[in-house]
Amino acid sequence: MQMMGVAWRRWRNEVKATSYDSNIPIEELVSIRSIPHGLAAEVWGKLCVHWKNTEKSSKINRENGKKKRGTHAQGRTSIPSLEDKFLKENGRKPTRIEIMHLSRRSKRKGGAPVDVEAIRYENLLDEAVQTRLQDMPEGTQAIEVHEDAFRLYFL
């Protein structure tokens, strides 16, 4: 079955590479061009429509990928699971800044930030927290300051 799947993908890629052109409108592809490799007209039309739709979603995904603000390193671990683990270890619910720190540090690299963006945001938020703590009256909870600093940069 695996060999059949590989053969099918190879054949489909060959058909697309030799007969499909994304710059040609779908109507023209389906009706005017000769149908490749002895495919039925209906099958060729469905393949062309599928490839056009895939191109559209691929373009959207590329655009959305450029908007990302940073990479997380938590794998399959959900945010609620991170919160629960933090709660068990520290006896309190983590702030959003602490969740950001936890989710953007690599377990494989000994807790190092995963990318330059993570380092930049950590430094920016730590500086905002320190500045706000200095301006607040003594006895102010650091958790309140964390939330204010997070809202300043992310909301």
Side-chain angles (χ1 to χ4, degrees), residues 2-13:
Q2 286 178 334
M3 289 173 54
M4 289 295 290
V6 169
W8 163 248
R9 280 190 297 278
R10 187 178 302 128
W11 178 83
R12 191 183 59 210
N13 288 337

Side-chain angles (χ1 to χ4, degrees), residues 7-63:
W8 163 248
R9 280 190 297 278
R10 187 178 302 128
W11 178 83
R12 191 183 59 210
N13 288 337
E14 180 186 326
V15 169
K16 185 176 181 181
T18 58
S19 305
Y20 176 79
D21 185 358
S22 62
N23 298 322
I24 298 174
I26 193 79
E27 297 81 22
E28 193 175 324
L29 270 173
V30 172
S31 63
I32 296 174
R33 293 190 92 181
S34 60
I35 298 171
H37 300 284
L39 285 169
E42 184 179 318
V43 173
W44 173 242
K46 286 181 181 181
L47 277 173
C48 289
V49 168
H50 171 72
W51 288 329
K52 276 287 187 195
N53 291 339
T54 304
E55 287 171 7
K56 190 186 305 181
S57 64
S58 178
K59 181 181 177 188
I60 291 169
N61 289 341
R62 279 193 304 275
E63 289 171 2

Side-chain angles (χ1 to χ4, degrees), residues 8-147:
W8 163 248
R9 280 190 297 278
R10 187 178 302 128
W11 178 83
R12 191 183 59 210
N13 288 337
E14 180 186 326
V15 169
K16 185 176 181 181
T18 58
S19 305
Y20 176 79
D21 185 358
S22 62
N23 298 322
I24 298 174
I26 193 79
E27 297 81 22
E28 193 175 324
L29 270 173
V30 172
S31 63
I32 296 174
R33 293 190 92 181
S34 60
I35 298 171
H37 300 284
L39 285 169
E42 184 179 318
V43 173
W44 173 242
K46 286 181 181 181
L47 277 173
C48 289
V49 168
H50 171 72
W51 288 329
K52 276 287 187 195
N53 291 339
T54 304
E55 287 171 7
K56 190 186 305 181
S57 64
S58 178
K59 181 181 177 188
I60 291 169
N61 289 341
R62 279 193 304 275
E63 289 171 2
N64 287 338
K66 292 176 185 175
K67 296 176 190 176
K68 286 173 66 175
R69 283 184 145 177
T71 308
H72 72 81
Q74 62 195 36
R76 294 181 177 184
T77 307
S78 66
I79 298 290
S81 294
L82 285 176
E83 289 176 344
D84 188 49
K85 182 179 177 186
F86 187 92
L87 178 66
K88 288 177 183 173
E89 292 173 356
N90 299 304
R92 65 175 176 81
K93 187 176 178 184
T95 64
R96 288 190 268 189
I97 291 177
E98 290 168 332
I99 288 295
M100 260 185 88
H101 286 303
L102 291 172
S103 66
R104 286 169 172 75
R105 294 195 165 261
S106 174
K107 293 174 189 167
R108 293 181 185 159
K109 296 179 182 175
V114 290
D115 60 7
V116 176
E117 260 323 91
I119 295 169
R120 189 173 76 79
Y121 281 125
E122 281 185 14
N123 292 337
L124 193 67
L125 289 168
D126 289 342
E127 187 178 308
V129 167
Q130 292 305 319
T131 304
R132 289 183 183 285
L133 275 176
Q134 290 173 356
D135 296 342
M136 295 287 181
E138 199 169 319
T140 302
Q141 295 293 322
I143 294 171
E144 296 167 15
V145 176
H146 274 234
E147 292 301 317

